Amino acid sequence: MIGGRAVSLREASHSIVADSRPDNDGLRDIVLTYLRAGDDIAAIQRAISERDRSLAPGLASFEGLRLVKTDEWECLVSYILATYANVPRISKMVSSLASAYGKRIDSEFNAFPTMRRLREASVEDLERCGLGYRARYVHDLCQQVDARRIESMRRLGYDDLREELLGFPGVGNKVADCVALFGFGKLESFPIDVWIERALARMYGIRGSYRELREFAQDRFGPYAGYAQEYLYHNERELSRSGTCRFMRRGGSSDRIP
DNA sequence: GCCCAGGAGTGTG
DNA sequence: CACACTCATGGG
């Protein structure tokens, strides 16, 4: 809401970023950093369209859909929790951890726990937060990661970052790519979950191992594959929920890359 | 009650 | 490397 008027995220981002009044600088930095307001969506969509003409017609309607840039530690733990769980439950696990170990912000909200604080939790403590078998992963992760480790990982390129993330307990291909994309801002990362598998099979008729699908996607979508993933993901979920589909199947001659 | 969830670890072929 | 099986639990 701006001035009591409902606006799109795109318009809100523009208004806040354009407003350089001193008392708005904090909010401006937050929007720039965490809502990626500096990303040139038009240029990104153009780059994706040039690589895959079949996506061009649908992309414009996703103009307001943005990637987020979250805290690396929070992102890492959250996606470890997200394995084999649905979204409402993931939210519940995160808020339970915050309630038990996070700094109190107000009567109904706690910040996500710091590494140091969460390290004090036993496996049993974490299970009481509803983590299930993920409690062991988070507990072991806390014993082998600290702020300096995360800091050093910020300087890595996508491939090296991915390898290091895969060394953490509870981190496989999909989680590593999600943390690389949303936590470390590697826009070439293309996380593949069940929805993306469905999208790639439906639209391109391909199936395969994680590596095969990832190489296909990165070759096809290029340095902004992460944005392409976000578009494909939401389109596939919309298709499942309401039957609407913004992207057509490939197959015509007009969408072929010369 | 039943089925599924924005998967990962482990063991085996 | 690819597959099958198991993992603990809440939501729909």
Side-chain angles (χ1 to χ4, degrees):
Chain A
M1 303 284 281
I2 292 181
R5 183 171 56 97
V7 298
S8 68
L9 175 59
R10 189 182 73 87
E11 184 180 343
S13 298
H14 172 75
S15 300
I16 294 168
V17 171
D19 185 349
S20 56
R21 287 179 301 179
D23 62 344
N24 246 1
D25 284 354
L27 185 55
R28 186 171 180 276
D29 287 344
I30 289 173
V31 173
L32 269 173
T33 303
Y34 298 106
L35 294 183
R36 305 197 63 102
D39 287 0
D40 187 342
I41 300 300
I44 289 170
Q45 293 196 348
R46 209 177 305 127
I48 295 172
S49 293
E50 281 173 10
R51 287 171 166 271
D52 189 337
R53 282 282 153 216
S54 69
L55 296 181
L59 285 182
S61 64
F62 275 130
E63 157 186 62
L65 181 62
R66 313 297 294 248
L67 291 183
V68 291
K69 198 289 177 195
T70 62
D71 174 79
E72 295 90 344
W73 165 248
E74 179 172 346
C75 187
L76 177 57
V77 175
S78 297
Y79 275 100
I80 289 174
L81 298 182
T83 63
Y84 210 56
N86 53 28
V87 173
R89 187 175 174 196
I90 298 165
S91 302
K92 195 169 180 180
M93 287 188 278
V94 170
S95 58
S96 295
L97 282 182
S99 298
Y101 300 100
K103 180 184 177 185
R104 177 190 159 97
I105 304 298
D106 60 41
S107 61
E108 55 186 32
F109 185 82
N110 283 32
F112 192 83
T114 63
M115 290 175 251
R116 187 193 308 213
R117 186 73 179 87
L118 202 57
R119 197 172 298 130
E120 300 167 4
S122 68
V123 175
E124 292 73 23
D125 291 334
L126 296 173
E127 284 174 341
R128 276 190 284 276
C129 288
L131 303 200
Y133 65 91
R134 305 164 193 83
R136 168 62 62 185
Y137 298 154
V138 174
H139 176 268
D140 291 353
L141 174 71
C142 288
Q143 311 309 313
Q144 60 177 281
V145 73
D146 57 23
R148 290 180 53 209
R149 180 87 179 271
I150 298 291
E151 173 67 31
S152 72
M153 291 171 67
R154 288 179 185 158
R155 291 189 288 273
L156 299 177
Y158 168 67
D159 290 325
D160 291 334
L161 174 63
R162 192 170 191 285
E163 286 307 307
E164 189 154 344
L165 287 169
L166 285 173
F168 292 139
V171 178
N173 284 310
K174 190 263 181 181
V175 170
D177 280 330
C178 282
V179 177
L181 177 59
F182 300 112
F184 288 87
K186 303 299 183 188
L187 297 185
E188 67 268 50
S189 182
F190 187 89
I192 299 162
D193 60 21
V194 292
W195 295 96
I196 293 297
E197 280 183 359
R198 290 171 196 163
L200 293 178
R202 182 180 64 79
M203 296 176 59
Y204 302 98
I206 64 163
R207 290 183 137 311
S209 66
Y210 193 96
R211 190 157 111 169
E212 289 170 327
L213 294 180
R214 180 166 62 91
E215 288 174 354
F216 168 85
Q218 291 182 332
D219 177 61
R220 171 157 300 265
F221 304 120
Y224 300 117
Y227 267 98
Q229 191 267 10
E230 193 78 351
Y231 297 136
L232 293 180
Y233 177 81
H234 281 279
N235 181 63
E236 207 62 22
R237 296 208 68 155
E238 277 187 341
L239 181 58
S240 171
R241 281 197 309 269
S242 59
T244 62
C245 183
R246 309 183 197 226
F247 296 133
M248 297 300 104
R249 302 179 54 162
R250 281 179 58 83
S253 56
S254 62
D255 58 0
R256 185 126 353 240
I257 297 176

